Amino acid sequence: MLVALPLLLAAADPQTAAPPVPPAPAEEPQAAPDAGQDIVVTARRREERLQDVSIAVAVLDEKTLTDTGAFNVNRLQQFQPALQFYSSNPRNSSINIRGLGAPFGLTNDGIEQGVGFYLDGVYVGRAGASTFDFVDVERVEVLRGPQGTLYGKNTTAGAVNITTKAPSFTPEAKIEVSGGNYDFLQIKGTASAPIIDDKLAVRVSVSRTSRKGTIYNVASDEYLHRQDNFSARGQLLWKATPNLDFRLFADFNLQNPLCCVQYYARTGSTQRPLNRQYAALAAALGYAPPSTNPFDRVTDLDASINSRQEMGGLSLVANWDVGPATITSVSAWRYWNWLPANDRDFIGLPITTISQNPSRQKQVSQELRIASNGKSRLQYTFGAFFFNQTINTNGSQVQGPAASRFLIAPSNPNSNNPAVLNGLTSTNTISFDNTSFAVFGKLNWEVLPKLHIQPGLRVNYDKKSGSYVAVVTTGTGSTTLNADQRAVLAPQSYAPRFSDWNVSGDVTLSYDFTPDVHAYATYARSFKSGGINLSGLPLDAANNPILSAQTVKPEKVDHFEVGLKTQFLDRRLTVNLAGFWTEIKDYQATVTNGQLGVIRGYLANAAAVRVRGVEWDTSFRASDRFRVYFNGAFTDAKYTNFKDAPCPPELSGGTTVTGSQVPSAPGTPGGLSPAFCDISGQILPGISKWSLSYGGEYNIPVGGGEAYIGYDGSYRTKFSSNPSRSLYTDISGYSLSNFRLGFRKDKLNVFAWVRNAFDQHYFELLSVQSGSTGLIVGQPGDPRTFGGTVSIGF
C-alpha cells in the first residue's frame, strides 16, 4: 500500500494535484449480455465496449449470475464452454481455459497457474482460494488466451476477472433469499450509503450458504458433500479530489463443508497379480462396498472428511486521473488457511486412516499502472508488478491395520501381519516461497483509419524455493524401517530451487470494417514459469527419491488466434467467432504412478502439446419479450510428444520389463509392465472436444411487471480424467438442463428454479486408487435440485 502514498499526498496538496477534470462515474450501468446494448468491460485495463476489444472475452453480469444460480467459479463453466473447473476438494482445484492453465489432477504448490484469477484487480495466487461464494458482483469477465502484457501476473491461458459493485452515493440496499431441497438456504444482503456527501461512501455485503450433503456415509451416519459457507465484504470509496479516488476493500470467507469425497465407481484389470487386485483383496478381508452403483450416492468411508478453509484480505486501489492518462495502484495482502481431512484409500477399510496436508498461505502484491485516456490514435498501458507468496504445510499420512494385506504381496508372510504397517506414519513438513517481478506494456496504435496494431511486451523474473521433509515412523514410533515399510512410505528430504528471467510478447492486428464489425489476428509468445515438486518425489529401485525430478522446466507457448466480432439488426444479433492454435513445449503435467510414497502425484514436462479449436458466442434479442443465446467450443487438445509418461492403470502394477522383454497386453494380471509409456497423440485430460451452452428467456407483461420463463442448458462430450488416458477413467459426455419461472417488477424478482432438471447422472472426475489395485473411484456431480429465490432492492 506504500505505492498509493504519493497519490494520497497529491490529493492532500492542491498545488501538486493535476487540474480537475470531469470524473468518470463510479458505477457504469451494465447491460445484460443479451440486451443488444453496449456492454462495458475492463479486460484491457480501461473501460471499453465489449465488441471493440480484440480479445476473445465473455461477460456474465449480475442479472445472469442471479438468474442462473452461478454463485461460484464451479458453476460458471456451465455457461462458458471454453472454461473448465475441476475440484476434488477446494485446495485441489484448477481453473483451465481451452484445456490449459493448471495440470489436471491433484494440486502441487510448487507451480504457477496458467489462468489468472483476479478479484477487484488483485491476483489470487491459488485456485483453491477462488472457491468463495460470489456476493455483490457487478460482472465476471472470462478472457481466453495469453494476457501477460495486460495483467500483473503472467497468464498464459487466460484470466477470470471479477469486479464487485462500488459504493454508491445514493443509499441503496438489496436482499436475496434462496431455498430448496437438500435443505438448501442461501441469504445474500448488501447495503451502500454515503458517509460524507460526494466524498466518502461505504458498501457492505454478506452471504450465507448451507445445504445438506448429497452423499450418505453409512459408516459415520452423516451426509457428505454439504455446503457451509459464509462470506463478508466491506468497501470504502473516497473521492479525495474530482480526479483522485481510493477504494479500500476487506473480505473474509469461511467454508466448512463435509466434502469432498470420491468412492467406488468401477474396477478394471491391471497387471498386478490377480490376488493383489481389488476384488481379491476385498474378498480376503470380507469387505464389500454398500453399493456398486455410485449414483445410489452411498459410501462407507471410515476416515474423517472435511475441507475447512478460511480466506480473506485487504486491498487498496487508487486511481489518479492526470489528464492524458490515469495512474492506478493496486496494493494487496491476502491469506488462505486450509484444514482438510481425507479418506485416501476411498473405501471403508482402514488402509490409509489419515491423509491430510493442512497449509497456510500468505501473499502480498503491488501493481502500478499508467493507461492513456481518451480515444487518441495512440493508446497505451504500462505497468510493474511485484508478488510474494509463502506456503507452510504440516501434513501426515497414516496407514491402518488393513494396509498390510492391501500393500504387501501375499507371498510375503508380512501381508498377514497387520502390525507391520499399522500406524506407519509419514509426517510431512513443507515450505514454499515464491517471488515474482515483472514490467509489462501494450500499445494500441491506429496506423491508418480503422487499422490498429497492438504490440505488447513483458519482462518477468520468478524465483521459487522450497523444502520437503518427510519423516516416517513405525507404529511403535521407531524411525528404523524394514523393506516392506519403506516400500510403502519412504523418508524424503530435499530442497528444490528455481529462478529464471524470461521475455514474452504479443502483437495484434485489428480492423474495424464498420462500427459493428471488428476483426483481429494475434500472435503471442509467452512463458509459464518453471516449478518445483512439493508433493514428494518418485522413488528409484532402492526406494530413494529421484532428485532429478525436483524441478520442472518453464512452458514455452506459441499462440495464434484470429477473431471476428459482429453485431447486426440494430445490435440485436451478436455473433463473435474465434479460432486459435497453441503450441506448448515442455508442458507441465501432473503425473502419477503406483507408488504409495508419492501421495499426490508429481510434476513432469511433456515435450510438446498442441491445442487448437474454434469458439463462438452468439445471442439474439428477437424482441423485448424474447431472447436466446448459443455458445460453443470445439477444442482439439493433444500431447504431440510425450514418450516417457507414466502408464495408465491397465499397464501398471506388473513386473517392470528389462532388456528385450515385451510388455504384456493391457490388463493382464501378473503380467509385465513397461517402465514408461509413449502417450504421444493422446488427448489431454479434462477437456471435451465439444462443449456447448444454450438457452433463452421469454416474458409477458403482467401487473406492471413481467412474468418470465427461462432455460439454460449445457452439453459436453466425453473427456479423460487421467493424465495418461485410460478407458477406465474416461468420463462420458452429458448434458444439463436448468429451468426458471418467475415474476419481476422494478427491484423485485421472484422465481422458482430447477437445476439438472432431468437428474443426469455424471461424474465430475474419476481417479485411480494408488497401488495399481484396479479400483476406480469417482466424484459424482450434483443430482437434481429445485427451489425458489426472492430478490428485492430498496
Side-chain angles (χ1 to χ4, degrees):
M1 298 182 186
L2 295 177
V3 173
L5 185 58
L7 306 186
L8 186 61
L9 294 175
D13 184 356
Q15 295 182 354
T16 61
V21 297
E27 284 190 272
E28 188 76 24
Q30 300 298 313
D34 49 59
Q37 303 174 22
D38 287 348
I39 304 168
V40 177
V41 298
T42 55
R44 294 197 297 194
R45 299 310 201 181
R46 57 167 56 85
E47 289 189 347
E48 298 177 283
R49 180 172 169 263
L50 173 63
Q51 290 299 106
D52 294 336
V53 177
S54 303
I55 299 172
V57 55
V59 180
L60 289 152
D61 68 351
E62 180 193 24
K63 176 182 178 298
T64 303
L65 296 172
T66 299
D67 288 350
T68 60
F71 62 85
N72 55 30
V73 178
N74 183 31
R75 297 204 174 186
L76 289 181
Q77 63 181 333
Q78 292 186 28
F79 309 97
Q80 295 299 309
L83 178 71
Q84 299 90 39
F85 180 84
Y86 300 103
S87 179
S88 59
N89 59 45
R91 179 180 180 271
N92 292 310
S93 300
S94 61
I95 305 173
N96 285 1
I97 292 177
R98 296 170 172 171
L100 303 173
F104 183 88
L106 295 176
T107 296
N108 193 309
D109 287 330
I111 63 165
E112 300 284 339
Q113 299 171 186
V115 174
F117 185 87
Y118 292 86
L119 177 62
D120 287 317
V122 176
Y123 173 75
V124 177
R126 289 292 157 195
S130 70
T131 57
F132 54 82
D133 288 355
F134 296 159
V135 55
D136 211 18
V137 169
E138 182 177 282
R139 66 180 179 271
V140 178
E141 301 168 2
V142 180
L143 289 71
R144 310 191 288 266
Q147 306 297 328
T149 61
L150 280 168
Y151 283 73
K153 201 71 175 75
N154 198 20
T155 52
T156 56
V160 177
N161 189 23
I162 294 180
T163 302
T164 62
K165 290 187 173 181
S168 170
F169 289 98
T170 300
E172 63 180 32
K174 180 180 178 181
I175 186 167
E176 177 184 308
V177 180
S178 299
N181 61 333
Y182 292 98
D183 298 332
F184 174 70
L185 179 63
Q186 184 175 73
I187 302 174
K188 295 183 179 182
T190 184
S192 185
I195 298 175
I196 301 174
D197 288 345
D198 300 325
K199 287 291 184 181
L200 186 65
V202 64
R203 191 175 195 96
V204 177
S205 308
V206 295
S207 173
R208 178 74 173 91
T209 303
S210 64
R211 191 191 73 178
K212 186 176 77 172
T214 58
I215 297 167
Y216 180 62
N217 188 351
V218 300
S220 61
D221 188 27
E222 60 188 353
Y223 284 88
L224 307 178
H225 267 304
R226 77 177 185 192
Q227 295 176 1
D228 186 2
N229 307 336
F230 173 77
S231 300
R233 292 182 60 79
Q235 288 188 55
L236 285 174
L237 170 62
W238 177 32
K239 289 194 171 183
T241 72
N243 60 328
L244 176 63
D245 64 73
F246 296 86
R247 285 176 73 180
L248 178 65
F249 301 82
D251 69 282
F252 171 80
N253 304 272
L254 178 64
Q255 299 182 13
N256 193 31
L258 294 181
C259 89
C260 301
V261 299
Q262 299 178 67
Y263 56 90
Y264 184 103
R266 62 180 70 125
T267 60
S269 295
T270 71
Q271 295 188 331
R272 205 179 193 194
L274 193 60
N275 60 2
R276 299 193 65 201
Q277 296 196 32
Y278 169 79
L281 293 168
L285 290 168
Y287 171 77
S291 173
T292 56
N293 179 0
F295 298 106
D296 287 342
R297 299 182 182 273
V298 294
T299 185
D300 61 348
L301 302 181
D302 59 341
S304 297
I305 302 294
N306 205 358
S307 293
R308 188 184 191 278
Q309 58 176 344
E310 178 185 317
M311 66 193 93
L314 295 168
S315 60
L316 178 64
V317 178
N319 288 288
W320 185 15
D321 187 335
V322 295
T326 296
I327 300 172
T328 299
S329 168
V330 183
S331 311
W333 169 84
R334 296 196 64 80
Y335 78 99
W336 177 43
N337 294 335
W338 163 247
L339 188 63
N342 302 296
D343 191 328
R344 294 301 297 174
D345 56 50
F346 308 111
I347 58 177
L349 286 174
I351 303 168
T352 301
T353 57
I354 296 176
S355 178
Q356 55 197 28
N357 274 286
S359 61
R360 296 177 178 270
Q361 174 198 305
K362 294 179 181 179
Q363 68 170 69
V364 293
S365 61
Q366 175 61 58
E367 185 169 350
L368 187 64
R369 296 192 309 271
I370 181 169
S372 59
N373 292 330
K375 293 287 189 178
S376 62
R377 290 184 61 187
L378 181 62
Q379 299 176 13
Y380 58 84
T381 299
F382 298 110
F385 178 75
F386 172 81
F387 175 81
N388 179 257
Q389 174 190 59
T390 59
I391 303 176
N392 290 288
T393 301
N394 296 99
S396 59
Q397 177 167 332
V398 181
Q399 303 304 125
S404 294
R405 179 60 66 94
F406 252 74
L407 305 177
I408 299 176
S411 58
N412 185 330
N414 281 335
S415 68
N416 291 316
N417 183 358
V420 175
L421 296 184
N422 188 26
L424 185 70
T425 301
S426 177
T427 303
N428 312 314
T429 303
I430 310 168
S431 64
F432 177 59
D433 190 284
N434 177 19
T435 298
S436 180
F437 172 77
V439 291
F440 57 94
K442 194 171 184 69
L443 299 177
N444 186 348
W445 179 27
E446 189 175 11
V447 292
L448 293 171
K450 301 182 181 181
L451 177 65
H452 296 252
I453 182 171
Q454 301 164 43
L457 188 69
R458 179 186 186 89
V459 179
N460 201 93
Y461 174 74
D462 291 289
K463 180 180 180 181
K464 297 179 175 69
S465 60
S467 172
Y468 183 95
V469 178
V471 177
V472 180
T473 56
T474 66
T476 61
S478 172
T479 57
T480 301
L481 309 179
N482 62 37
D484 293 324
Q485 293 164 337
R486 190 177 180 87
V488 173
L489 292 176
Q492 297 196 29
S493 178
Y494 60 98
R497 299 288 186 272
F498 173 86
S499 63
D500 192 25
W501 286 90
N502 63 64
V503 178
S504 57
D506 55 47
V507 62
T508 297
L509 288 174
S510 64
Y511 189 78
D512 302 318
F513 291 97
T514 72
D516 293 328
V517 178
H518 174 87
Y520 66 90
T522 296
Y523 167 71
R525 171 71 166 177
S526 59
F527 294 82
K528 181 179 171 184
S529 171
I532 58 178
N533 267 307
L534 285 177
S535 295
L537 298 178
L539 308 177
D540 61 18
N543 289 318
N544 292 313
I546 302 172
L547 296 180
S548 60
Q550 289 183 90
T551 61
V552 289
K553 301 173 186 176
E555 289 183 357
K556 306 172 190 68
V557 182
D558 286 292
H559 175 79
F560 305 86
E561 184 164 339
V562 293
L564 182 66
K565 295 190 167 185
T566 66
Q567 287 187 313
F568 307 99
L569 304 177
D570 244 358
R571 295 185 175 176
R572 292 186 294 117
L573 173 63
T574 298
V575 179
N576 294 339
L577 303 172
F580 61 92
W581 187 301
T582 305
E583 301 271 358
I584 304 176
K585 295 180 180 179
D586 294 322
Y587 173 79
Q588 296 168 3
T590 297
V591 296
T592 57
N593 60 16
Q595 298 170 349
L596 271 294
V598 184
I599 298 173
R600 299 181 179 276
Y602 61 98
L603 294 170
N605 288 110
V609 158
R610 184 213 65 216
V611 181
R612 60 187 179 185
V614 177
E615 300 162 347
W616 63 93
D617 300 280
T618 66
S619 63
F620 178 51
R621 182 173 58 89
S623 69
D624 290 340
R625 301 286 167 235
F626 180 61
R627 59 177 177 81
V628 291
Y629 69 91
F630 178 47
N631 307 324
F634 167 80
T635 310
D636 179 22
K638 292 183 178 180
Y639 298 105
T640 52
N641 187 355
F642 197 4
K643 297 180 179 178
D644 55 351
C647 294
E650 55 265 41
L651 285 170
S652 302
T655 303
T656 303
V657 298
T658 59
S660 60
Q661 289 180 316
V662 177
S664 304
T668 302
L672 296 174
S673 293
F676 50 82
C677 285
D678 182 355
I679 61 173
S680 304
Q682 291 187 9
I683 60 174
L684 289 183
I687 180 71
S688 296
K689 182 162 285 189
W690 291 96
S691 296
L692 307 172
S693 65
Y694 37 83
E697 184 179 290
Y698 177 73
N699 68 74
I700 56 174
V702 174
E706 59 185 30
Y708 63 91
I709 183 170
Y711 169 78
D712 299 286
S714 63
Y715 169 75
R716 65 181 302 182
T717 55
K718 72 177 178 182
F719 63 96
S720 168
S721 188
N722 196 62
S724 297
R725 188 181 182 190
S726 167
L727 293 178
Y728 303 158
T729 54
D730 270 0
I731 293 180
S732 300
Y734 58 88
S735 61
L736 301 176
S737 292
N738 305 329
F739 295 89
R740 61 185 181 277
L741 176 68
F743 172 81
R744 63 170 74 97
K745 179 181 180 181
D746 299 326
K747 295 184 178 181
L748 172 68
N749 188 11
V750 181
F751 62 98
W753 46 262
V754 57
R755 293 163 189 148
N756 190 7
F758 302 112
D759 202 20
Q760 173 76 57
H761 290 171
Y762 69 100
F763 288 108
E764 292 184 340
L765 52 86
L766 292 170
S767 301
V768 179
Q769 186 185 51
S770 59
S772 299
T773 67
L775 176 63
I776 308 300
V777 296
Q779 181 172 299
D782 276 351
R784 176 172 49 230
T785 58
F786 54 85
T789 296
V790 178
S791 173
I792 185 168
F794 306 94

